[in-house]
């Protein structure tokens, strides 16, 4: 009897193991290159925050879908007045924050008023500048009145900077984020990973994943073995380097080369000598060989750009020939500007490979025309403090991954320190224009102005090189917004 019981017990264990083996997984480890400085998307320009929390933990009234479309989120519907100035939002019922408190119109008013307040720390405060008043009609209805019509208002509300927060928990969101999304905060192992867990009380369709760990894997040397061993099952933005060819031939993985909103630029301090001289900026533009910069930039993928606009947008204009690669012309312009022997400057480079690798090539190209750059590597927090906040820099390389963000060139005191009244006028007209065809015309004009002014060295559109387990479904191939939306992600049965 003992032997029979042992056999039956062993068979039961095997059966249980077999059942478990065929059950779809519900956990996922996702590799990310950068660790966010904190976890509040309404208080920092760091894309690394949205890449983990947007649509997963935090939600806005609207959201940006995988194809760049505006979709309902916490607002299930809305109406717009005939003059385009009054938006009435109908909120979803039964929505609660992760701490159990109800989401209602008072939270919307708090969030929008907080974002546009004089003392706001929102990195995209300009998104809310058109708002005149926010009124609570009833707990499920909010009326937002604009100072003037704004064609991009619903799109702006889909940014990560516009996610809804509660007055009870807003001040603690940097360390303990509380949202309304399908995942809630698990833990943050500083320097290592951030874990989200399934929200059992989610108002919408439940997600398939029970747990998602975002693990910080900064470079190819660490990413490749993590992927091949199965320790990390997905890299939405893979730092693969030369190993990408090897991965593409491995049937265990999907390699998806998609588009992003990431305009990769040689950002220039326009308010500082000698960069306040357009001839110097034009010289830099002529000294840049985009094809070589792309070829030497890790994966070698990227689309050359001549202005701050995504080639995937219908309003895109190819302006790469505005200042074609011409070192002789660059030297001529420098001499005209009073620098026949060139000059010295600094180039601050944040951690991503596109900056560190690309920076070496840019420095080499500028050196050939007489501009001697001292390369200064900085960590992400240093970049945000020194460059973005305090404008303590000459040149830097960065990818602006916010969606459709050419309007940043109209902002007073932005870190480029660029000021052109004609450009601002175009942006003001665009903001008040709803007609799609007219908006395309205005976007094209705006691109040409900043291209001709050589505000920055426009390099290339950052590609999205996604690599993940072939059994994983629902990952985004493109990045119309800086996000890794896990709403529809699941393992195949």
């Amino acid at each position: 009897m003992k032997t029979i019981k042992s056999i039956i017990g062993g068979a039961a264990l095997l059966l249980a193991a077999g059942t478990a083996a065929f059950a779809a997984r519900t956990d996922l480890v996702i590799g990310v290159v950068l660790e966010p400085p904190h976890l509040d998307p309404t208080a920092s320009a760091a894309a690394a925050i949205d890449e983990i929390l947007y649509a997963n933990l935090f939600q806005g009234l609207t959201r940006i879908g995988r194809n760049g479309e505006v979709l309902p989120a916490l607002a299930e519907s809305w109406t717009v007045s005939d003059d385009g100035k009054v938006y009435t939002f109908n909120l979803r019922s039964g929505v609660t924050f992760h701490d159990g408190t109800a989401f209602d119109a008072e939270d919307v008013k708090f969030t929008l008023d907080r974002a546009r307040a004089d003392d706001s720390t929102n990195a995209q405060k300009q998104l809310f500048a058109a708002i005149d008043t926010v009124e609570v009609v009833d707990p499920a209805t909010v009326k937002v009145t604009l100072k003037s019509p704004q064609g991009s208002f619903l799109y702006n509300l889909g940014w990560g900077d516009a996610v809804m927060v509660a007055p009870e928990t807003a001040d603690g969101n940097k360390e303990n984020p509380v949202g309304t999304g399908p995942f809630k905060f698990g833990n943050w192992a500083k320097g290592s990973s951030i874990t989200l867990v399934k929200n059992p009380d989610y108002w919408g369709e439940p997600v398939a994943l029970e747990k998602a760990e975002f693990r910080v894997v900064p470079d190819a040397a660490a990413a490749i073995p993590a992927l091949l061993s199965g320790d990390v099952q997905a890299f939405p933005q893979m730092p693969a380097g030369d190993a990408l060819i090897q991965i593409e031939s491995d049937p265990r993985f999907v390699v998806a080369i998609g588009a992003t909103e990431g305009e990769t630029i040689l950002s220039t301090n326009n308010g500082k000598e000698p960069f306040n001289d357009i001839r110097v900026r034009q010289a830099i533009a002529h000294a840049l060989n985009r094809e070589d910069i792309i070829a030497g930039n890790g994966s070698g993928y990227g689309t050359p750009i001549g202005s701050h606009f995504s080639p995937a947008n219908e309003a895109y204009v190819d302006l790469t020939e505005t200042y074609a690669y011409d070192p002789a012309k660059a030297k001529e312009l420098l001499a005209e500007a009073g620098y026949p022997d060139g000059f010295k400057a600094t180039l601050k480079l944040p951690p991503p490979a596109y900056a560190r690798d690309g920076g070496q090539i840019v420095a080499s190209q500028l050196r050939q025309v007489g501009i001697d750059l001292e390369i200064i590597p900085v960590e992400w927090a240093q970049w945000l403090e020194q460059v973005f906040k305090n404008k303590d820099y000459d040149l830097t390389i960065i990818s602006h991954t916010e969606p459709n963000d050419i309007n940043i060139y109209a902002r007073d005191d932005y870190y480029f320190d660029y000021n052109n009244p004609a450009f601002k006028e175009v942006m003001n007209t665009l903001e008040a224009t709803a007609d799609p065809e007219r908006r395309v015309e205005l976007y094209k004009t705006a691109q040409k102005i900043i291209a001709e002014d050589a505000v920055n060295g426009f390099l290339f559109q950052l590609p999205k090189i996604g690599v993940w387990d072939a059994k994983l479904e629902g990952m985004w191939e493109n990045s119309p917004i800086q996000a890794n939306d896990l709403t529809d992600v699941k393992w195949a049965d």
Side-chain angles (χ1 to χ4, degrees), residues 119-142:
D119 61 351
S120 170
T121 59
N122 195 297
Q124 303 295 341
K125 186 177 176 180
Q126 190 68 26
L127 292 175
F128 313 96
I131 297 176
D132 186 28
T133 60
V134 182
E135 302 174 55
V136 174
V137 177
D138 58 52
T141 312
V142 178

Side-chain angles (χ1 to χ4, degrees), residues 212-416:
E213 175 190 338
F214 289 84
R215 188 175 299 173
V216 181
V217 186
D219 51 43
I224 301 303
L227 180 74
L228 296 178
S229 67
D231 288 345
V232 176
Q233 297 93 46
F235 282 92
Q237 189 65 271
M238 178 76 178
D242 295 337
L244 188 63
I245 296 175
Q246 171 193 348
I247 297 170
E248 285 178 315
S249 64
D250 192 326
R252 294 177 297 167
F253 306 110
V254 168
V255 176
I257 309 298
T260 75
E261 283 289 325
E263 289 81 26
T264 306
I265 59 177
L266 178 65
S267 300
T268 307
N269 194 337
N270 285 242
K272 183 178 183 180
E273 291 187 355
F275 309 105
N276 57 350
D277 189 326
I278 188 173
R279 293 169 297 183
V280 170
R281 300 196 305 271
Q282 289 171 332
I284 291 173
H286 277 305
L288 297 172
N289 185 326
R290 297 182 183 91
E291 297 295 344
D292 284 354
I293 294 169
I294 293 170
N297 184 45
S299 66
Y301 288 95
T303 303
I305 56 173
S307 189
H308 197 107
F309 218 72
S310 170
N313 194 299
E314 65 173 338
Y316 173 74
V317 182
D318 184 355
L319 297 167
T320 51
E321 292 301 309
T322 302
Y323 297 106
Y325 177 56
D326 189 342
K329 182 64 175 177
K331 291 178 181 180
E332 180 183 322
L333 285 163
L334 286 175
E336 288 179 14
Y339 300 96
D341 300 319
F343 59 87
K344 293 185 178 181
T346 60
L347 175 61
K348 292 189 174 181
L349 300 176
Y354 68 75
R356 296 280 171 90
D357 294 346
Q360 298 290 336
I361 301 170
V362 167
S364 176
Q365 292 179 355
L366 294 189
R367 194 176 299 117
Q368 292 174 18
V369 301
I371 301 174
D372 186 11
L373 297 182
E374 176 192 358
I375 293 178
I376 304 175
V378 293
E379 295 306 311
W380 184 237
Q382 292 175 300
W383 189 92
L384 289 170
E385 180 69 20
Q386 296 175 18
V387 179
F388 188 78
K389 181 179 178 181
N390 294 325
K391 291 185 281 190
D392 178 18
Y393 79 108
D394 294 333
L395 300 166
T396 186
I397 295 179
I398 195 70
S399 241
H400 278 257
T401 56
E402 295 84 3
N404 202 13
D405 61 347
I406 195 172
N407 63 335
I408 58 179
Y409 289 77
R411 296 184 187 178
D412 293 329
D413 205 36
Y414 199 66
Y415 83 102
F416 306 149

Side-chain angles (χ1 to χ4, degrees), residues 441-457:
E441 292 175 6
L442 291 166
Y443 273 130
K444 290 181 177 180
T445 300
Q447 292 171 66
K448 292 173 183 176
I449 292 174
I450 60 173
E452 290 167 2
D453 280 351
V455 183
N456 293 309

Side-chain angles (χ1 to χ4, degrees), residues 25-155:
R25 290 182 61 168
T26 57
D27 66 302
L28 178 63
V29 180
I30 304 154
V32 292
V33 174
L34 295 175
E35 180 176 38
H38 58 74
L39 304 179
D40 183 358
T42 71
S44 175
I49 302 173
D50 283 353
E51 287 173 359
I52 294 173
L53 302 176
Y54 181 87
N56 296 325
L57 190 146
F58 286 111
Q59 299 172 307
L61 293 179
T62 64
R63 64 184 291 251
I64 308 302
R66 66 172 64 226
N67 298 312
E69 70 276 34
V70 177
L71 300 171
L74 294 177
E76 62 180 358
S77 63
W78 50 82
T79 57
V80 185
S81 62
D82 291 340
D83 64 1
K85 292 172 61 175
V86 181
Y87 287 73
T88 303
F89 293 95
N90 304 306
L91 307 182
R92 296 188 187 275
S93 61
V95 177
T96 59
F97 284 95
H98 297 147
D99 64 349
T101 58
F103 165 77
D104 59 23
E106 292 289 350
D107 296 304
V108 177
K109 178 173 173 56
F110 168 78
T111 297
L112 297 180
D113 285 348
R114 173 175 177 259
R116 66 194 184 95
D118 291 341
D119 61 351
S120 170
T121 59
N122 195 297
Q124 303 295 341
K125 186 177 176 180
Q126 190 68 26
L127 292 175
F128 313 96
I131 297 176
D132 186 28
T133 60
V134 182
E135 302 174 55
V136 174
V137 177
D138 58 52
T141 312
V142 178
K143 184 168 73 173
V144 179
T145 302
L146 306 183
K147 300 169 187 174
S148 59
Q150 185 181 46
S152 59
F153 184 61
L154 292 173
Y155 188 87

Side-chain angles (χ1 to χ4, degrees), residues 156-213:
N156 291 349
L157 290 181
W159 283 44
D161 308 84
V163 296
M164 295 292 109
V165 296
E168 298 88 350
T169 54
D171 289 342
N173 279 336
K174 288 185 177 181
E175 294 291 328
N176 183 32
V178 177
T180 59
F183 293 91
K184 59 183 183 178
F185 180 60
N187 70 284
W188 184 5
K190 296 285 181 71
S192 177
S193 65
I194 295 169
T195 301
L196 306 182
V197 296
K198 186 175 183 176
N199 174 17
D201 301 314
Y202 181 53
W203 58 267
E205 186 72 24
V207 289
L209 297 175
E210 295 286 340
K211 181 175 74 171
E213 175 190 338

